[in-house]
Amino acid sequence: MTDTTTPEEINRFWLDEVGEKGWYIRSDAVDETIRRRFQPAWERAADLVPGWAATPEGMLAGLILTDQFPRNMFREDARAFATDPLARSLAREAVESGLHLRIAPPSRQFVYLPFEHSEDLADQERAVALFAEFMPGENLRHAELHRDTIARFGRFPWRNAALNRVPTPAEIRVMEAGGYGALVSGKLSLAEL
């Protein structure tokens, strides 16, 4: 069966149905809906999204499909990061072409998040610079925290289990304290580790 998912369907679901208040809240119901409605498109993303990337709407949908949806569909599973290289490639194209400026905030953050999700420090620096210039505020705070985590560990400790990586003692401490949430809340500081 051929998948007929369109960029409009992806954007309407993520931007309107889930909406800004639901983007970063864990919901089994949303995760299941994404799997049911969009996993076939995600499985074909390498074929689908290059054709979508010429327009702001198509680029945004491609980024949501390759960077956001797998994180919902495959929590605690290595597949959550499987299309990250494609997402970063799309994000680079969007930034280098200036297309990112044609995507209004708050949706524009999905252009920059593939850099923030990278375990490469240069990508992290790029995320911080983009958020600082184009979307300062809470998004910038998270970008800086992600960058600082990569600068400290060279990877995200909260991915270790999904990627079958052996954690260091400092990474174990982060995870026992509550992972990323402990860093965001200030319960734990990277400087303490």
Side-chain angles (χ1 to χ4, degrees), residues 19-152:
E20 190 173 1
K21 291 184 179 182
W23 289 341
Y24 302 110
I25 296 174
R26 184 176 185 142
S27 165
D28 292 339
V30 169
D31 293 355
E32 178 54 36
T33 300
I34 293 170
R35 276 190 293 278
R36 183 175 34 81
R37 288 175 61 180
F38 301 108
Q39 186 171 345
W42 177 81
E43 290 170 354
R44 296 189 54 242
D47 296 324
L48 291 175
V49 298
W52 296 352
T55 67
E57 297 78 15
M59 177 66 78
L60 180 60
L63 288 160
I64 292 167
L65 179 67
T66 58
D67 189 66
Q68 295 302 301
F69 283 0
R71 284 166 167 76
N72 288 79
M73 291 188 295
F74 307 118
R75 293 182 191 273
E76 313 305 326
D77 184 310
R79 291 177 294 171
F81 320 111
T83 51
D84 282 8
L86 178 54
R88 278 192 304 278
S89 177
L90 289 169
R92 280 187 202 96
E93 182 180 332
V95 171
E96 290 166 7
S97 70
L99 194 63
H100 69 119
L101 297 175
R102 294 176 53 200
I103 299 170
S107 301
R108 187 183 296 159
Q109 68 189 283
F110 298 111
V111 179
Y112 307 148
L113 284 174
F115 301 119
E116 184 176 322
H117 290 154
S118 174
E119 291 189 324
D120 178 83
L121 188 56
D123 288 336
Q124 290 295 324
E125 294 292 358
R126 188 170 204 181
V128 169
L130 288 164
F131 278 116
E133 184 171 357
F134 300 109
M135 289 188 73
E138 190 64 19
N139 287 311
L140 175 58
R141 179 175 170 261
H142 286 281
E144 291 170 338
L145 189 52
H146 279 76
R147 179 206 52 207
D148 294 347
T149 300
I150 293 300
R152 169 63 178 89

